[in-house]
Amino acid sequence: MARRVKPSLYISVDIEADGPIPGPYSMISFGAAVAGRQDADGYAPTDPEAYTFYRELRPISEDFVPEALAVSGLDRDRLTDEGSEPAAAMAEFSTWVREVSAGAQPVMCGYPASYDWTFLYWYLIRFTGASPFGHSGCLDMKTLYATKARLPLRAVAKGTMPRELLSGRRHTHHALDDAIEQAELFSNLMAWDPTPSA
């Protein structure tokens, strides 16, 4: 008898940070959008605006890289006064992930996942002690594309992808906007078959 495989729920996450690594530097905002669900019957996309999460966070250190901070357009002084406490925000996010992924295993997906996952996972462990994604529940869209296109990973950039794969939305460096945009890219990649038809 075949073992029943639990479905995966893919959640596109984008983070903005004021430096290269968590701890010395801060994650200052993050957004998430449910991209779709995969089970034994295949992948089903979700409207990426239907289930979303967004928070702006209070910085956790005094250090920041001005160039990194400038990418997001966020004001550190305002975040220090008005940003969510990281512990509260990460607890709320964990609850949201568990609710939207009921009956499935949540998987974080990002483009590229490595940077966003580093901050997200560190913050979840540091401020809640656990990750709803486990320690390895992430999928990198660059790797997914490189594998399907049979290209070296370092040859992959959004500008080299077929236009039909890309979202029509602008990449704004607002974490929720970009999470939604990347959710559309992910669903397009999951459906994409680059094999020429006979």
Side-chain angles (χ1 to χ4, degrees), residues 24-92:
Y25 303 99
S26 306
M27 179 167 72
I28 51 178
S29 69
F30 70 108
V34 173
R37 182 182 174 102
Q38 185 180 27
D39 59 21
D41 296 322
Y43 178 79
T46 301
D47 173 357
E49 294 184 350
Y51 305 99
T52 63
F53 187 95
Y54 178 72
R55 291 291 183 277
E56 295 178 356
L57 303 176
R58 183 169 295 170
I60 61 172
S61 82
E62 296 296 315
D63 296 330
F64 66 96
V65 177
E67 295 83 359
L69 179 63
V71 170
S72 70
L74 294 171
D75 182 285
R76 265 183 67 97
D77 292 336
R78 182 183 66 78
L79 293 174
T80 298
D81 292 338
E82 301 173 11
S84 297
E85 285 292 345
M90 301 321 288
E92 290 164 4

Side-chain angles (χ1 to χ4, degrees), residues 142-157 159-162 165 192 194:
K142 283 187 77 167
T143 304
L144 177 60
Y145 174 77
T147 302
K148 284 193 163 196
R150 300 188 176 191
L151 289 172
L153 184 64
R154 290 294 195 175
V156 173
T160 66
M161 290 182 176
L165 291 178
W192 183 53

Side-chain angles (χ1 to χ4, degrees), residues 109-131:
C109 55
Y111 186 98
S114 51
Y115 182 76
D116 303 85
W117 175 257
T118 298
F119 274 90
L120 185 71
Y121 184 73
W122 190 93
Y123 265 70
L124 285 165
I125 298 301
R126 171 67 180 81
F127 292 107
T128 72
S131 164

Side-chain angles (χ1 to χ4, degrees), residues 7 12 16 25 31 49 83 94-95 108 112 123 135 142 157 177 193:
S12 170
E16 299 296 330
Y25 303 99
E49 294 184 350
S94 294
T95 298
M108 176 271 192
Y123 265 70
H135 69 277
K142 283 187 77 167
D177 288 350
D193 181 0

